[in-house]
Amino acid sequence: MLHPLETRNALVQDSNVSANVIQPAKVIVDRSFCLYVHQPLFCDHCAFGRRSLDSTGQTRIIALRISFLSCMRAVMSSLKRVINSKTLSDLVKCGAINTDGIRLFDCSFTTAPPAKPNPTEFRKNSYGKFEKLMKRDSPQKRDFLAARIPGAVHADLGVGLFPGQVQRFEMYSPELFEQFVQLLGLNKDEHVILYSRGRIGGMLHAFKMGWLLKSYGHSIEKMSVLDGGFENWTKQGLGVDNSPNPYQPNRGNWLAKDNTSINITFEEMEAKDASGKAIWDKASEYNLLDTRVREQYEGISEAFVRDYAAKGLKGHFIPGTMCLPTVEMVNSEGLLKSPEELRQMTKNVGFVEGKPVITTCIIGFQAAMASMVLEYAFSGLETRMFNGSMTEMIARNPSRITGKVH
């Protein structure tokens, strides 16, 4: 089978159509590789198959020698940070995934069970051994193998992160994370589309992967998250691949850059200024956003309250933080709320534009999604995320967790 561009050129030659020349409507062209078929928005970029009317009203076809790659560059530049299932379906149908600078990562993940692996044993036997880790069985791998969007590669967060002594999911060095992403087939300057399934509109783990990529230098303009995740995809009746042999990429040449400073550390949060105050003590100067579910923050969940009491904690949250649950960033349809709704949601809890933003949760997943979503909703906003979150605070300074609502 010919490459799409070769097919187009052959068709033009067979029809004796010259570039930039309008030919009679009887000229037959195969537009199966033209995005005009699936998405009219792209017809201005892909001139092959564009239609016009002459003075008599007769439809004519302008057949121009526009390369397929040029068309795809225009498509990629139009991809937003959050895309709908129709847009991704168009890309799948036209064969753009894994062929023209667009990659598709299935970021499905299950945080519990299993329990946290022994950090010391993991360091000794599995640390950074990504090929070995990618072969192991897990609930998320079984979900991926059972059904996935065609062309997707499984970007398993359980492989790209490791169990630390304090943090449940700790980040690798840029040099090691680079190896993981290369195994997923990503190349330099490629656009990656992320989706997942399950929690928070099926987007929690996709946004976490997006935050990781940003932490290691991948441009935020070269990644998109599928709105509504895999559940919305199947709800729309779009096709899935449930074959036992998913797409296997060649190793990519993606290079990591150290942008991990967007993840604020426990030491930074606790560092005292000249007046002896830590960031927690200066909450009025920041937007400190606790993105856990409201039942946890406010102590509504009896099971959660018992668990915190068993740990010897006096409260449910750190005073000065604002309750901004990530789960409330999606609507009843499981889709992300509009930027306007998201901005209003933050203002309702006391968010002040211009103040530094730090997000936190339990283990760094909901906070990562909240950071990504807020940066999507507020143009030019840059946030920092506390990856250790409440898990690290409980382990290292539980005395700060004294806030109570009920």
Side-chain angles (χ1 to χ4, degrees), residues 260-277:
T260 53
S261 61
I262 63 175
N263 299 278
I264 195 165
T265 66
F266 172 86
E267 288 74 17
E268 289 177 278
M269 294 297 294
E270 291 287 344
K272 302 294 194 295
D273 63 12
S275 64
K277 292 183 178 181

Side-chain angles (χ1 to χ4, degrees), residues 230-298:
F230 187 70
E231 285 80 2
N232 184 262
W233 176 272
T234 56
K235 182 180 178 181
Q236 301 299 320
L238 299 171
V240 300
D241 178 8
N242 54 14
S243 68
N245 300 306
Y247 172 77
Q248 297 294 324
N250 294 322
R251 185 164 189 143
N253 59 19
W254 184 82
L255 298 176
K257 300 174 184 176
D258 193 348
N259 189 38
T260 53
S261 61
I262 63 175
N263 299 278
I264 195 165
T265 66
F266 172 86
E267 288 74 17
E268 289 177 278
M269 294 297 294
E270 291 287 344
K272 302 294 194 295
D273 63 12
S275 64
K277 292 183 178 181
I279 288 177
W280 299 115
D281 305 316
K282 301 181 290 184
S284 62
E285 300 176 17
Y286 293 82
N287 292 301
L288 300 180
L289 306 177
D290 189 323
T291 65
R292 295 173 297 159
V293 297
R294 192 172 299 279
E295 289 78 7
Q296 292 178 341
Y297 185 91
E298 297 183 357

Side-chain angles (χ1 to χ4, degrees), residues 88-359:
L88 178 54
S89 176
D90 291 339
L91 295 171
V92 171
K93 288 178 181 177
C94 76
I97 304 300
N98 299 319
T99 59
D100 294 286
I102 301 179
R103 299 287 171 173
L104 179 61
F105 287 178
D106 183 317
C107 308
S108 301
F109 186 61
T110 303
T111 53
K116 177 182 176 180
N118 182 284
T120 303
E121 289 298 315
F122 187 91
R123 275 273 185 178
K124 178 181 178 181
N125 301 316
S126 302
Y127 184 82
K129 297 179 180 179
F130 300 118
E131 292 182 86
K132 170 187 172 182
L133 292 170
M134 292 170 78
K135 293 177 181 178
R136 70 182 179 180
D137 181 52
S138 65
Q140 58 266 22
K141 185 174 183 179
R142 291 193 292 271
D143 286 342
F144 171 76
L145 291 175
R148 57 200 169 272
I149 298 176
V153 173
H154 189 205
D156 190 341
L157 291 168
V159 177
L161 297 164
F162 70 93
Q165 292 294 339
V166 176
Q167 296 182 28
R168 173 61 184 90
F169 296 99
E170 195 162 334
M171 295 171 60
Y172 280 105
S173 68
E175 293 77 18
L176 282 175
F177 189 80
E178 176 180 287
Q179 295 178 29
F180 169 60
V181 175
Q182 287 181 352
L183 289 172
L184 300 177
L186 189 64
N187 294 304
K188 292 182 293 184
D189 299 323
E190 287 189 320
H191 192 105
V192 60
I193 299 173
L194 312 165
Y195 76 91
S196 51
R197 61 194 89 194
R199 298 183 60 194
I200 314 184
M203 293 178 280
L204 175 62
H205 301 120
F207 273 116
K208 176 64 175 181
M209 185 64 190
W211 182 261
L212 287 175
L213 287 169
K214 181 184 178 185
S215 297
Y216 294 107
H218 195 75
S219 170
I220 194 70
E221 303 304 327
K222 290 186 178 293
M223 64 177 88
S224 304
V225 170
L226 177 63
D227 198 3
F230 187 70
E231 285 80 2
N232 184 262
W233 176 272
T234 56
K235 182 180 178 181
Q236 301 299 320
L238 299 171
V240 300
D241 178 8
N242 54 14
S243 68
N245 300 306
Y247 172 77
Q248 297 294 324
N250 294 322
R251 185 164 189 143
N253 59 19
W254 184 82
L255 298 176
K257 300 174 184 176
D258 193 348
N259 189 38
T260 53
S261 61
I262 63 175
N263 299 278
I264 195 165
T265 66
F266 172 86
E267 288 74 17
E268 289 177 278
M269 294 297 294
E270 291 287 344
K272 302 294 194 295
D273 63 12
S275 64
K277 292 183 178 181
I279 288 177
W280 299 115
D281 305 316
K282 301 181 290 184
S284 62
E285 300 176 17
Y286 293 82
N287 292 301
L288 300 180
L289 306 177
D290 189 323
T291 65
R292 295 173 297 159
V293 297
R294 192 172 299 279
E295 289 78 7
Q296 292 178 341
Y297 185 91
E298 297 183 357
I300 298 172
S301 167
E302 293 184 5
F304 172 79
V305 171
R306 286 196 301 269
D307 178 61
Y308 266 34
K311 291 181 170 70
L313 303 178
K314 297 179 179 179
H316 315 132
F317 60 88
I318 299 176
T321 57
M322 308 173 195
C323 180
L324 188 73
T326 306
V327 70
E328 296 178 16
M329 293 180 174
V330 300
N331 60 28
S332 59
E333 298 297 316
L335 301 174
L336 197 64
K337 290 180 178 179
S338 69
E340 294 77 15
E341 291 174 305
L342 292 166
R343 289 193 293 269
Q344 187 59 52
M345 175 182 169
T346 60
K347 292 176 182 177
N348 289 345
V349 302
F351 181 95
V352 179
E353 290 189 62
K355 290 184 178 181
V357 179
I358 299 173
T359 61

